[in-house]
Amino acid sequence: QVQLAESGGGLVQAGGSLRLSCAASGRTIAGYVMYVMSWFRQAGGKEREFVSGISWRDGSTYHADSVKGRFTISRDHAKNTVYLQMSSLKPEDTTVYYCAAGEVYGSWSSLSNYDYWGQGTQVTVSS
């Protein structure tokens, strides 16, 4: 089992920045070649959508079109932690952000490809 703990959410004005963290604990993931850690978000009444993902092995990344150029995802092997640096935030970025992890052989944006999920952290962007 892998446990994921998100932190870093909060309230920020439009145009501002926030950094989310997702710390993984439990079973080691270092040996899993296809391990991916990603961020999703879900607004009330809507489907959970993919935001950004990173390969644990080689650090390759993938971002949703809606956040390209504004969000950056990175990882720290020593801390078993993934970060989502969010800049130029917009009111429409307001929602709960979830960290996810799993061995992904298909689409990184598909929820069913992830085995583990965090509890979520709220991000609110005021206009």
Side-chain angles (χ1 to χ4, degrees), residues 1-9 19-26 29 35 37-39 56 79-84 96-101 116-122:
Q1 289 289 329
V2 174
Q3 292 79 43
L4 302 175
E6 302 106 330
S7 61
R19 189 178 79 158
L20 305 183
S21 300
C22 174
S25 60
I29 61 177
Y35 221 81
M37 293 187 70
S38 294
W39 289 94
W56 195 252
K79 296 182 178 180
N80 269 353
T81 298
V82 169
Y83 304 97
L84 185 68
V96 179
Y97 286 71
Y98 297 88
C99 180
Y116 306 104
W117 293 84
Q119 294 299 308
T121 184
Q122 176 71 43

Side-chain angles (χ1 to χ4, degrees), residues 7 10 13 21 36 38-40 48 58 62 88 100 109 118 122-123:
S7 61
Q13 288 189 333
S21 300
V36 174
S38 294
W39 289 94
F40 288 75
R48 193 167 293 188
D58 63 13
Y62 176 60
S88 301
S109 60
Q122 176 71 43
V123 171

Side-chain angles (χ1 to χ4, degrees), residues 61-83:
T61 62
Y62 176 60
H63 298 277
D65 288 342
S66 58
V67 305
K68 279 181 182 176
R70 300 190 299 124
F71 292 9
T72 302
I73 188 169
S74 60
R75 77 206 190 296
D76 184 326
H77 278 150
K79 296 182 178 180
N80 269 353
T81 298
V82 169
Y83 304 97

Side-chain angles (χ1 to χ4, degrees), residues 28-59:
T28 179
I29 61 177
Y32 293 88
V33 175
M34 300 304 295
Y35 221 81
V36 174
M37 293 187 70
S38 294
W39 289 94
F40 288 75
R41 62 188 182 185
Q42 184 172 23
K46 296 184 178 181
E47 291 187 357
R48 193 167 293 188
E49 65 173 2
F50 174 83
V51 176
S52 300
I54 188 166
S55 165
W56 195 252
R57 179 179 63 88
D58 63 13

